[in-house]
Amino acid sequence: MEFKSVFKTYGDNTVVDNLNLSIPEGKITVFVGPSGCGKTTSLRMINRMVEYTSGTILVNGEDNTARPAHELRRSMGYVLQQAGLMPHRTIVDNISTVPRLNGVSARQAKSQALELLNTVGLDESFAKRYPSQLSGGQAQRVGVARALASESSILLMDEPFSAVDPVVRADLQKELLRLQSTLGRTIIFVTHDMDEAILLGDYVAVFARGGRIAQFGTPEEILREPADDFVASFVGRDRGMRRLTFASGADVPIHPLDAQQTPWQQWQLNVEDGRPAGWRIDDRVIPGGSLFVAGGTLRDALDSVLSSPSGWGVVVNEQGQVLGLLKSDDVLEATERERLNRYGVSA
Ligand SMILES: Nc1ncnc2c1ncn2[C@@H]1O[C@H](COP(=O)(O)OP(=O)(O)OP(=O)(O)O)[C@@H](O)[C@H]1O
Ligand SMILES: [Mg+2]
């Protein structure tokens, strides 16, 4: 997919200003940027829910104005900013509408819809409900299921997870990445949340006000070398922390449980069935911090240390069994090695 010198104006107002962008096939490309910078407009020009003023958009190598707009629209999955379900239709009908329009039999569309419900973590009891009977998070899951139902290789997702709480959001993000690892679709995902962009994007396009692209690259490139002050400030003060998402925490040494020394020695890790169960101090037990799953990122390693009541990060394996402890000094040393490595400087 490709944008070539695309403009969109409303009267005197240019909301998309000479957009040139090649969107890699089979990858997730995220449009990120502040409110009102033209992300939704750019997304909607792809399936012509918004008609552009000038320029060309190629979809699968073909000018997207060559086909009738309704046909183009149906050929792509689309998730709206607010799930956008049809209120008078059941969940199962909401999911199967587009496949039905595309000629799939009623039976097949229904069984596929039920399968998709499962995929997004809802059981079949939801099929007969109406959108008003769902929570915001459930409705967004249905929105994602509906987009997946269009068998198209292209999915357009406009802030699909913005209306849900952070826990559900993290869940949906993980689910999307899991699905994408088997589906390999071309996904364009809009968000104004840089963390979400970094987590989900194979590529990220940072939009600036006035519908101009300030930078296009991998999340790592953008964090390492923001193109200008705008990108640097949008990427935010946490840039240093975020970068650690791309560094492995695998070479941070893991200490045995009895390695604790002053000033932490009064803390004891409670272990039940091999799993961490809080930190004991005097006669109290305090819930533990975030766990570091062995082989995780340096950001996870640092977070496990910073969030731990004892100051020691707890390392577990994939099954949640305790493997040992991380020490903050070791984590900081690893960040230092990573920094030198990043710029190709030897210590
Ligand atoms: N139909 C319209 N008529 C006039 N101006 C419009 C219209 N649609 C959008 N705009 C303007 O175009 C600009 C870009 O809007 P757009 O919805 O693409 O922003 P966005 O980046 O998606 O923002 P948000 O993060 O808030 O969703 C805004 O200034 C908006 O007011
Ligand atoms: Mg928008």
Side-chain angles (χ1 to χ4, degrees), residues 195-268:
D195 276 317
E196 186 164 68
I198 289 167
L199 177 72
L200 296 179
D202 296 303
Y203 296 91
V204 175
V206 183
F207 280 64
R209 261 180 232 297
R212 169 182 79 74
I213 291 205
Q215 190 167 6
F216 178 78
T218 65
E220 187 174 10
E221 284 164 359
I222 289 171
L223 291 171
R224 189 182 55 218
E225 271 177 59
D228 56 25
D229 287 347
F230 166 76
V231 177
S233 74
F234 189 73
V235 165
R237 281 195 304 268
D238 288 344
R239 193 166 113 208
M241 292 288 287
R242 291 190 171 122
R243 273 219 74 270
L244 296 180
T245 310
F246 302 100
S248 167
D251 65 347
V252 180
I254 298 175
H255 298 276
L257 289 192
D258 58 14
Q260 301 172 55
Q261 294 155 5
T262 49
W264 300 289
Q265 61 187 2
Q266 64 271 40
W267 294 91
Q268 278 289 329

Side-chain angles (χ1 to χ4, degrees), residues 250-291:
D251 65 347
V252 180
I254 298 175
H255 298 276
L257 289 192
D258 58 14
Q260 301 172 55
Q261 294 155 5
T262 49
W264 300 289
Q265 61 187 2
Q266 64 271 40
W267 294 91
Q268 278 289 329
L269 183 69
N270 250 1
V271 178
E272 285 169 17
D273 295 334
R275 292 163 187 280
W279 286 93
R280 200 154 6 96
I281 182 159
D282 305 328
D283 52 359
R284 292 182 297 158
V285 174
I286 297 175
S290 61
L291 299 171

Side-chain angles (χ1 to χ4, degrees), residues 39-41 81 158-159 190:
K39 305 179 296 293
T40 295
T41 305
Q81 208 155 343
D158 193 354
E159 306 210 27
V190 171

Side-chain angles (χ1 to χ4, degrees), residues 67-137:
R67 288 208 268 171
H70 66 269
E71 206 182 293
L72 184 75
R73 222 159 288 160
R74 259 195 255 148
S75 76
M76 301 177 198
Y78 183 63
V79 190
L80 291 166
Q81 208 155 343
Q82 306 287 339
L85 303 177
M86 296 172 284
H88 303 299
R89 294 206 184 172
T90 61
I91 299 309
V92 68
D93 287 345
N94 262 283
I95 297 174
S96 48
T97 298
V98 168
R100 292 284 291 129
L101 287 170
N102 284 333
V104 175
S105 77
R107 245 184 74 208
Q108 201 192 331
K110 185 182 169 193
S111 80
Q112 188 203 10
L114 295 178
E115 224 169 87
L116 283 167
L117 268 181
N118 260 314
T119 305
V120 297
L122 297 173
D123 64 57
E124 296 192 358
S125 70
F126 285 93
K128 287 264 153 47
R129 295 206 207 169
Y130 288 88
S132 65
Q133 299 167 315
L134 304 186
S135 74

Side-chain angles (χ1 to χ4, degrees), residues 20-87:
N20 286 285
L21 191 60
S22 253
I23 294 182
E25 210 177 310
K27 302 281 182 202
I28 301 182
T29 297
V30 178
F31 290 178
V32 69
S35 188
C37 63
K39 305 179 296 293
T40 295
T41 305
S42 298
L43 189 77
R44 291 185 167 194
M45 292 189 305
I46 295 170
N47 69 1
R48 284 174 54 212
M49 288 173 77
V50 170
E51 301 281 3
Y52 40 98
T53 310
S54 66
T56 312
I57 297 177
L58 300 176
V59 174
N60 296 323
E62 189 194 50
D63 189 322
N64 78 342
T65 57
R67 288 208 268 171
H70 66 269
E71 206 182 293
L72 184 75
R73 222 159 288 160
R74 259 195 255 148
S75 76
M76 301 177 198
Y78 183 63
V79 190
L80 291 166
Q81 208 155 343
Q82 306 287 339
L85 303 177
M86 296 172 284

Side-chain angles (χ1 to χ4, degrees), residues 79 120 139-149 157 160-161 176 179:
V79 190
V120 297
Q140 293 208 314
R141 284 170 197 260
V142 175
V144 172
R146 189 179 53 173
L148 291 172
M157 309 181 85
F161 308 148
L176 179 68
L179 284 169

